[in-house]
Amino acid sequence: MDAPRPRGIVVFGGGTATNSLVDVFETIRESRKCSLSYVIPISDNGGSSSELIRVFGGPGIGDIRSRLVRLIPGSDTDAERASIKDLFNHRLSSDPLQARLQWLDIVEGRDELWANISSEKRELIRSVFNLVNLEIVKRARPSSVFNFSKASIGNLFLTGARVFTGSLESAIYLLSTICCIPPTVSTLPAINTNFTHHISAGLADGTQIAGQNAISHPSAPTSLPDWSSSPDGAGGGEDDELLRLRREMEAHDLIEDATLPGSLPTLRRPYIDFDKGGGSSSDNNNNNSSNNEDSNNTSHDDDLPARIDRIWYINPYGHEIWPAANPKVAAAVRAARAVVYSVGSLYTSIVPSLVPRGVGAALAEPDGDALGHPRARYRVLVLNPATDRETGPRAQPLTAADFVRAVVRAASGNAAVGPDKEGDKSDKKENRTNGNDPSEADVVRRYVTHLVYLEGEGAPRVDRDELAALGVDCIRVYGRRVDGMLRYDEAGLTRALEAVIGKPEMLRSRRNTSGQ
């Protein structure tokens, strides 16, 4: 009789930064002979994804494609795998006309990217490309044609597969199969949907920013304007700005695309070219830039006016909604031995996967033991090696304890009864009356048990005493400098995570190999 497979590992993270740690997680998965699940947000509305969302609607799939292609098993002898990786990572020219010609060469099978790809896989992939090309032509209008500039071939494939099957997870399964990703490794969208889901950020000063791209990258104000303050737009200053926004919204409504009339202008604008403000310093990445959404690559470091206080999902009109999590995400968390919050943009790569209903409850669900431990015994936050626009402002950047609290706030808000805040308050009042009100440390330990971090210039400050008071065990690892940026050393991070999670042969021993 086969021995039961060890409980798995779930990794919450975005695209670029977590891609650089895929080999770390694969090493641990292989040593434990367990499953590995990556949970990816679908709220990205920047880069070439913005054009796909504008024309087709649907979720942001850039990070999903990036992870699937990164997971293609390496091989020194299989030229087809290298060609498939090159194909799905390829981006078209920045010139729209040249990009369209390149796309047609790929669709018609003439491009050199098809070299070394077997005929059966080539024709399967081309059938999806032909479908998405037909849809692009069918949806063309005088007011709206598809812009192929910098389009990701992999994103186009996933979009075509989703449109054909009517299922995001089926599209992911098809690309996973073509990429020869082993069945023990899965890529799970945080929300399994055919619709576009945007996020909004509330800052500590009351400012609201709508749309992931506007949160991550410098942009104009994006909150819904108060038309009543200036019905005719007469006057100057702020009134002129309201008039400009109204005219922009009216102009958008004349365009025939997949966005609903009256949607927030910031959710309809194309973001094929944008500035990765904040320097993207949290991206622990050494991958080819083709894995990422293109940017102008200028070092624009505009601070947000205040710290981000909360992230929530919104409908196209800017109103808050409470979407349910992908059931497979909650199931993976409940079946996991360890959950890892990976490096990446805290509020646009990690938190959007924790906010959907059901994730927090799964993370905190007790295992049934006498101590009431959550099912996932280890919940590890791998701290970013640097702060960025989202974790500033630079004059008062987030500390390690702030990172922990942000994760806990996002997850614990979903362990209650959803948007019914009054119900939450009554529950807390009853707990206090019964003497059962949990301490902050009790709440934190439900979602974060360990912190892995680097020390160095630019890294978030780590107060071990403060974190110990929150019930979080800290493990310092040694890093390295790459182009002046602090990065995790893969071997050191692997040893640190294995010291927390434990190798099968280690049982429950705890040896410190990580340089605490």
Side-chain angles (χ1 to χ4, degrees):
M1 182 176 178
D2 294 336
R5 184 183 296 276
R7 294 175 66 178
I9 300 169
V10 173
V11 178
F12 287 89
T16 303
T18 300
N19 278 347
S20 66
L21 302 183
V22 160
D23 291 340
V24 171
F25 299 127
E26 176 58 22
T27 297
I28 298 172
R29 184 206 67 78
E30 180 62 29
S31 69
R32 294 187 54 78
K33 304 298 181 185
C34 66
S35 63
L36 173 61
S37 300
Y38 291 98
V39 181
I40 311 289
I42 49 86
S43 51
D44 186 14
N45 67 327
S48 64
S49 294
S50 66
E51 184 69 358
L52 288 169
I53 291 172
R54 185 187 71 82
V55 174
F56 289 91
I61 41 81
D63 286 345
I64 294 173
R65 182 270 311 164
S66 176
R67 180 60 35 76
L68 291 172
V69 178
R70 178 63 180 85
L71 288 172
I72 295 176
S75 174
D76 295 330
T77 59
D78 192 336
E80 182 178 62
R81 290 184 184 178
S83 292
I84 289 175
K85 178 174 288 191
D86 289 342
L87 174 66
F88 288 127
N89 266 338
H90 185 71
R91 286 190 181 279
L92 301 177
S93 168
S94 59
D95 177 74
L97 295 178
Q98 184 63 31
R100 182 174 177 274
L101 294 176
Q102 291 177 350
W103 164 247
L104 292 177
D105 279 347
I106 292 172
V107 172
E108 295 169 4
R110 296 196 304 260
D111 195 279
E112 62 183 12
L113 287 167
W114 293 111
N116 301 317
I117 297 179
S118 61
S119 59
E120 61 271 21
K121 284 192 177 181
R122 182 185 68 234
E123 297 313 313
L124 174 60
I125 296 169
R126 284 188 61 242
S127 68
V128 176
F129 287 162
N130 274 296
L131 172 69
V132 75
N133 190 63
L134 173 63
E135 290 293 331
I136 288 172
V137 174
K138 188 167 66 176
R139 294 164 193 247
R141 297 292 186 274
S143 62
S144 173
V145 294
F146 188 84
N147 186 348
F148 286 97
S149 174
K150 298 184 180 181
S152 162
I153 297 302
N155 289 1
L156 284 162
F157 179 88
L158 270 179
T159 299
R162 181 185 63 80
V163 170
F164 174 70
T165 62
S167 167
L168 175 60
E169 63 179 358
S170 294
I172 293 172
Y173 173 76
L174 178 58
L175 186 54
S176 298
T177 303
I178 292 172
C179 291
C180 301
I181 298 172
T184 51
V185 181
S186 57
T187 299
L188 303 175
I191 302 171
N192 184 28
T193 180
N194 273 318
F195 299 98
T196 304
H197 283 68
H198 292 289
I199 58 173
S200 186
L203 308 189
D205 66 355
T207 302
Q208 294 184 13
I209 303 176
Q212 178 170 313
N213 191 75
I215 297 168
S216 297
H217 314 301
S219 62
T222 62
S223 56
L224 192 65
D226 181 8
W227 305 120
S228 62
S229 65
S230 179
D232 299 320
E238 185 175 338
D239 289 342
D240 288 342
E241 175 65 15
L242 292 177
L243 178 60
R244 186 192 66 79
L245 289 173
R246 171 174 285 186
R247 286 175 174 170
E248 181 180 5
M249 182 177 291
E250 291 172 348
H252 279 306
D253 286 344
L254 297 176
I255 299 173
E256 296 181 71
D257 57 21
T259 53
L260 294 174
S263 298
L264 286 179
T266 186
L267 303 181
R268 304 185 69 167
R269 295 176 189 141
Y271 293 107
I272 294 175
D273 290 292
F274 60 86
D275 184 348
K276 288 199 172 188
S280 297
S281 54
S282 65
D283 289 349
N284 191 60
N285 179 47
N286 57 5
N287 294 326
N288 187 292
S289 62
S290 64
N291 284 344
N292 315 320
E293 292 294 349
D294 287 305
S295 73
N296 294 332
N297 290 323
T298 57
S299 57
H300 210 93
D301 239 353
D302 287 0
D303 275 342
L304 291 170
R307 282 187 174 187
I308 295 177
D309 185 58
R310 187 169 77 94
I311 294 289
W312 62 91
Y313 281 88
I314 57 174
N315 64 19
Y317 310 113
H319 306 137
E320 183 172 3
I321 59 174
W322 295 269
N326 181 352
K328 292 185 178 179
V329 171
V333 169
R334 291 188 177 98
R337 174 179 175 83
V339 170
V340 178
Y341 309 104
S342 184
V343 294
S345 300
L346 174 64
Y347 287 109
T348 56
S349 292
I350 310 299
V351 168
S353 294
L354 302 176
V355 170
R357 288 183 291 114
V359 176
L363 285 165
E365 184 173 304
D367 197 16
D369 62 11
L371 298 177
H373 289 121
R375 288 179 180 270
R377 186 60 58 90
Y378 308 105
R379 297 165 298 287
V380 185
L381 172 61
V382 182
L383 189 64
N384 286 345
T387 56
D388 56 16
R389 170 178 161 89
E390 296 179 19
T391 52
R394 282 169 290 183
Q396 191 186 13
L398 266 61
T399 66
D402 293 329
F403 273 80
V404 169
R405 290 188 174 100
V407 169
V408 172
R409 279 199 305 271
S412 63
N414 306 304
V417 291
D420 185 2
K421 306 302 181 185
E422 296 302 318
D424 297 348
K425 292 176 182 177
S426 64
D427 289 344
K428 292 176 181 177
K429 181 177 180 180
E430 181 180 351
N431 282 335
R432 285 194 295 270
T433 303
N434 296 333
N436 296 325
D437 190 27
S439 67
E440 184 180 16
D442 291 334
V443 176
V444 168
R445 292 279 299 181
R446 294 173 188 169
Y447 307 100
V448 181
T449 59
H450 294 78
L451 177 86
V452 178
Y453 70 98
L454 295 172
E455 281 187 346
E457 183 180 356
R461 182 176 63 84
V462 178
D463 186 330
R464 295 174 68 102
D465 291 336
E466 180 182 11
L467 289 160
L470 294 175
V472 177
D473 297 330
C474 296
I475 302 174
R476 177 172 62 87
V477 302
Y478 295 113
R480 52 192 172 86
R481 292 279 175 180
V482 179
D483 298 328
M485 303 299 296
L486 188 61
R487 302 293 188 230
Y488 279 98
D489 176 75
E490 290 187 5
L493 181 58
T494 301
R495 289 193 296 268
L497 292 175
E498 286 180 336
V500 174
I501 301 171
K503 292 183 179 180
E505 65 270 18
M506 289 169 59
L507 298 177
R508 295 183 180 274
S509 66
R510 288 290 177 269
R511 57 185 179 87
N512 178 9
T513 62
S514 53
Q516 290 192 71

